[in-house]
Amino acid sequence: MSSDYEYDDDDYYDDEDMIDGTQDDDEISDDDMDIADDIKSAAKGKLKSYEVDYDSLSQSEVEKHIRDDTEHICGILGVDLSTAQLLLRHLKWNKERLIEAYMDNPSKVLVDAGVALTESHSQPQAAPIRTQSSSSSGSNSRRPTRSSSKLIPSRSSRSSPTSPTTSYSIPKPLKASKSIQHFLCPICFDDDPALRTLSLDCEHTYCSGCWTAYVVSKVRDEGEHCIRCMEEKCQLVAPDNFIQSILVPEPGAPVGDPTEEAENAKVWARFQELLIRYFVSCNRDLKFCPYPSCTNTVSCPSASSKLSLTSVVPIVSCGARGIGGQDEQLSQSQGRLGALQGKEHKFCFGCPIEADHRPVICAVAKMWMKKCRDDSETANWIKSNTKECTNCQSTIEKNGGCNHMTCKKCKHEFCWVCMGPWSEHGTQWYSCNRYDEKAGQEARDSQSRSRASLERYLHYYNRWANHEQSAKLSLDLYAKTEKKMEEMQITSALTWIEVQFMKKAVEELDKCRQTLKWTYAMAYYLAKGNEKELFEDNQRDLEQAVEQLSELIESPIEPENIPTLRQQVTNKTVYVAKRNEIVLEDTANGFLDGRWKWNASVDGFDDPDPSLIAF
Amino acid sequence: MDARLRRVNKEITDCKNDKTSNVKIDLVDESPFHLKGTFPGPEGTPYEGGTFEVDIVIPESYPFQPVKMKFITKVYHPNVSSASGAICLDILKDAWSPVLTLKSTLISLQSLLCSPEPNDPQDAEVAKHYMTSRSSFEETARYWTRIYAGGPADESKSGQDPVAIAGLEKAHVDRFEALGFPRDKVIDVLRRLNYRGKNVTQITDDTIVEKLLS
Ligand SMILES: [Zn+2]
Ligand SMILES: [Zn+2]
Ligand SMILES: [Zn+2]
Ligand SMILES: [Zn+2]
Ligand SMILES: [Zn+2]
Ligand SMILES: [Zn+2]
């Protein structure tokens, strides 16, 4: 059971690169796929060009992989389980490198991993017997397992009769150093004869209270899973069963303080989570779900190399929904989240963005996010929720997701984003989404070059930010609408099923606005030319459809107009979904064909032709 | 009793009772978790004869997390910030062990004064000074010890150039003296502004003149 899957160890990262997700290799070898083959769930439907193949693993599934790897190492190296665990963690779960290093020099690996003591280690005075026997065995004959220490007379034989706290035993590889006469804990200075004391193989002995406080502090405050002996410069690492014996009371142990035991149980769970996170971080085919209090992992070998990220946008989902148990009770002000509840845990496998940034690839999304951060000052004014009517200058507040604004005072209809008259937005020739490069060109000739560059950025940023804001406002509006629909279920003959069309429409809108948002990041960096124009045509078609649907769901709802509205909304929702599909699919195909050219240098692509570089 | 409190109380008492050690720990106010450590500068170093005070803050999870220490007394040393007194020492960070005590940590600080680690500097300017001109560095460190840590006036060095002792450059002092300010005053102001290295380009002449006039 231990060797039915295998990591490709050659491609493991040896350095810290993998921690932040930057990966330097350029190829995915076929061997990399082995883990995915092994855990692949039942046959999936055919993937669209903008989708990646991935699987989600629960915490216990990852634990099983960890167990299998560990047992595999136990079998090969002939070491016990806790030794194998510490060795694997020390070598970042790279089994092949571990085996190689171990075959080369077992004692060095054991010492480096904190499993064994160095030969020069000076024993504390409390353990004179041990020093003798281990020095007589010599360095090469020493059996490289933790159990080697069992060859040495254990102190339990001599102290158990006098110890008042030996009513239960501790797992084998550790030692319960029983209360020696006049034991004084060197950390808390407690010398109560009833103290329970513990030590690792180094025999550095402390009271169990200090051990607990130390482990809790390391795990909870530092998020550390590698916990060394408390002695200064002692490199021994506490094995898992030692940690467990400290945090989890053993059967038959005297009952302790219930709050403390509950807290310790939490710390033990956190420790196990840290171990899983570490395993996941060591394997570039895996990524831990970034959603709060979620413990699932996603496996996506097809996005594990840097090269693959120039052609795919690996948006994955861990399989879970919602936002964690304890967040269930949402305050009134978070009503918007109500509509988001049950939303799946979508994130990007290739970069730290915790959202669906399709259709744009990670490198460009990252450039855009950085640009937005750097320019946030200048772009701040856009976030304002109010604008003036271009006709009568009265203040207009945006309160829905729709961009079709009508001035309450003068009835002037205009577009919220470009402030142009709305009458022109339905027609083919009007493009609210397209930045007029020509105007920019003229401005460039004059001395206002930097102003033109800012305006170009603001054109895209404005639309990017607007879709984000509109999506939120639509959700707010939906929360209100949903309430109204619930009331109508009571006052009219409508059934629950019949009022679901609104929910579907809002969900689709949210998805499409997400796509639209990122199309503006993409368009900002696309080199001008035919390809960009086609991209912007698709973008415009989706945007128009989205705005129409947005407007529809904001129309007043009365029981008598529901059947018509439902028909209209349902049709529009289907159409919008189709337009979204077109944008995603065409962009993804463009990446696969190498069709997209940039106006700035993008990681993994050739530098742009100088004539295409944006000012 | 709270284990942290018991431990700190015992550490303070032990330190008081230890007549052989020259390290002292005192309360700052009523709290046993905010203390002041004092030790003499090690013999045979530019810090000899000075008395160094260290601010000690005991964190909530002491001794499982390291104690927080920084110099109250200004020290001219590569691993101590000349401005804030912050200390760069491994045992105050990753290499901390719960078996270390306040006293042993203060003794480590004392030995840090004996053996600077310029490759892991806290104060880059001072470290540069240490690396480029050891004797000039030592003059300045000795000067700081005398001025800030109550060190002795060095008899054998009387008559030596006060500019070098302050770690300054003669040309800088001459330039401001030429403006009509007394030489002592120029040396004092430039020393207090740490007018060395890249500070020379960062501190404007106006600032210096302002200080000289005040
Ligand atoms: Zn203790
Ligand atoms: Zn130890
Ligand atoms: Zn999740
Ligand atoms: Zn990404
Ligand atoms: Zn108006
Ligand atoms: Zn518009």
Side-chain angles (χ1 to χ4, degrees), chain A residues 187-188 213 217 222 230 232, chain B residues 6-7 64-65 97-98 100:
Chain A
I187 289 171
C188 64
S217 168
E222 290 178 41
M230 286 188 272
E232 193 192 4
Chain B
R6 178 175 58 220
R7 157 132 176 184
F64 306 105
Q65 295 291 321
S97 152
L100 294 173

Side-chain angles (χ1 to χ4, degrees), chain A residues 289 294 318 320 345:
Chain A
C289 176
C294 184
C318 85
H345 293 185

Side-chain angles (χ1 to χ4, degrees), chain B residues 51-52 73-75 143-151 191-192:
Chain B
T51 303
F52 294 88
T73 312
K74 276 173 85 76
V75 187
Y143 185 76
W144 280 45
T145 304
R146 182 152 60 82
I147 300 284
Y148 299 113
R191 178 184 58 75
R192 271 191 283 134

